[in-house]
Amino acid sequence: MHSKEQISHDEYQKTADWLRSQTRHRPQVAIICGTGLGMLADALKCQDSFAYSDIPGFPLSTVHKAEQTADQRTDRKEPTKITTFPVRVFKLLGVKTLIVTNAAGALADGLQPGDIMIIKDHVNFPGLVGLNPLTGPNDDKFGPRFPAMSACYDKDLRCLAMDIAKQLGVSGLMQEGVYAMVGGPNFESIAEAKLLHRLGVDAVGMSTAPEVVVATHCGLRVFGLSLITNKVVKSYVDSDSVNHEDVLEVGRLRSQTVQQLVTEMISRMDINNNTTNNAV
Ligand code: HPA
């Protein structure tokens, strides 16, 4: 028996079965496109595409979690359980690797707007205070009650990304770093930015960590990229402040590079000793 806040295994299975009945593709890699990075899907050849609203059980795509709590379909379920729903569906579809991308603000002095940060580790602030998609009864069919998060961003894939960046001549734009997820939807105050920076965070955004937690729990291999869209204001003498339009603009500016990088990664990653470019 599942409480109303929980999503049952059957609900994930129903969605996966529906998708399998609608396409002959059997993807090995899934990509979650962050704010302003939806163009990653354009690189897919032979696509079958579905509107979120047509997929049974799928959450509607919104920019910020705050809007999702107002969505009728969320019922009484906790928002991170809704946003991570597709990850378990990917698992049931046979996906082995999840690629996550997001837009993030730079706290590290060495990161500039337009840079691409390979996520080495994360701080899941909502998770630390209990907004964690794995709360409630554990679904043992997906993974263990207390999963480790000490190696959630696959090292081989991080190395592969760096190699590819060199070949594409964009290694100057790329470095590894620690990503922190905050709840949003407001951008950080200066005191919050200073705090995050002191805690060792290189870039901050409002997404991704719950999906990575759920993917790691069910044994998916994860690769993550943050596109740095702005510098987070950390000083009271700065007059700059970030806005959503700037975030989208940097997405457009770097769309081709991010697309090339991700496409090349998928074609070169070793999936059960097969190289494939199937993705959803
Ligand atoms: N803070 C939080 N989320 C973000 C930012 C930021 O500065 N930029 C893009 N997403």
Side-chain angles (χ1 to χ4, degrees):
M1 230 349 228
H2 287 270
S3 69
K4 221 163 175 246
E5 294 83 32
Q6 294 295 115
I7 300 172
S8 70
H9 203 87
D10 274 3
E11 287 175 79
Y12 297 110
Q13 191 67 57
K14 246 189 224 155
T15 304
D17 290 347
W18 185 88
L19 282 165
R20 273 179 176 264
S21 73
Q22 300 291 314
T23 177
R24 284 185 297 127
H25 291 302
R26 294 294 175 258
Q28 302 281 305
V29 180
I31 308 171
I32 297 178
C33 306
T35 305
L37 291 165
M39 73 297 159
L40 279 174
D42 300 342
L44 294 178
K45 299 189 181 80
C46 311
Q47 321 187 354
D48 282 336
S49 52
F50 306 99
Y52 266 41
S53 55
D54 289 342
I55 307 176
F58 243 51
L60 294 177
S61 173
T62 58
V63 172
H64 291 301
K65 311 286 177 297
E67 291 167 48
Q68 276 173 338
T69 53
D71 178 346
Q72 288 299 308
R73 296 158 61 122
T74 62
D75 208 350
R76 279 171 42 209
K77 296 181 176 85
E78 196 254 280
T80 61
K81 292 200 203 302
I82 316 268
T83 53
T84 57
F85 183 89
V87 176
R88 286 184 163 177
V89 172
F90 297 153
K91 174 73 181 180
L92 294 175
L93 286 171
V95 163
K96 302 282 184 289
T97 306
L98 176 67
I99 299 180
V100 289
T101 63
N102 60 38
L107 291 155
D109 296 324
L111 283 170
Q112 308 301 326
D115 285 354
I116 298 167
M117 188 184 85
I118 297 172
I119 305 176
K120 168 171 82 178
D121 199 354
H122 72 214
V123 181
N124 179 11
F125 279 106
L128 293 179
V129 297
L131 266 177
N132 187 314
L134 301 179
T135 54
N138 185 55
D139 189 339
D140 298 335
K141 288 190 197 135
F142 283 116
R145 168 77 290 185
F146 298 110
M149 288 294 143
S150 45
C152 45
Y153 296 91
D154 186 86
K155 200 164 184 202
D156 293 341
L157 292 180
R158 287 190 271 132
C159 289
L160 178 63
M162 271 303 192
D163 285 351
I164 292 170
K166 274 185 205 128
Q167 280 163 20
L168 295 175
V170 294
S171 56
L173 297 178
M174 306 224 354
Q175 55 185 284
E176 284 197 344
V178 173
Y179 169 80
M181 176 183 172
V182 293
N186 60 281
F187 292 108
E188 295 65 42
S189 70
I190 293 175
E192 287 163 351
K194 286 163 72 148
L195 175 81
L196 290 169
H197 190 220
R198 283 188 150 209
L199 291 177
V201 174
D202 297 307
V204 57
M206 304 174 196
S207 66
T208 308
E211 289 85 340
V212 172
V213 165
V214 168
T216 304
H217 176 250
C218 68
L220 296 182
R221 188 166 64 148
V222 176
F223 173 72
L225 284 181
S226 289
L227 175 61
I228 303 302
T229 53
N230 57 284
K231 284 190 89 74
V232 181
V233 180
K234 291 188 303 226
S235 151
Y236 292 100
V237 288
D238 278 353
S239 54
D240 259 9
S241 67
V242 60
N243 64 64
H244 188 57
E245 192 42 50
D246 293 346
V247 170
L248 296 178
E249 181 57 36
V250 177
R252 286 190 281 272
L253 179 80
R254 279 285 176 260
S255 59
Q256 220 192 338
T257 308
V258 176
Q259 200 180 70
Q260 277 178 332
L261 194 77
V262 170
T263 309
E264 195 59 24
M265 285 208 53
I266 293 171
S267 66
R268 289 197 20 207
M269 70 178 56
D270 186 26
I271 301 163
N272 291 342
N273 301 320
N274 284 315
T275 303
T276 175
N277 61 2
N278 281 342
V280 289

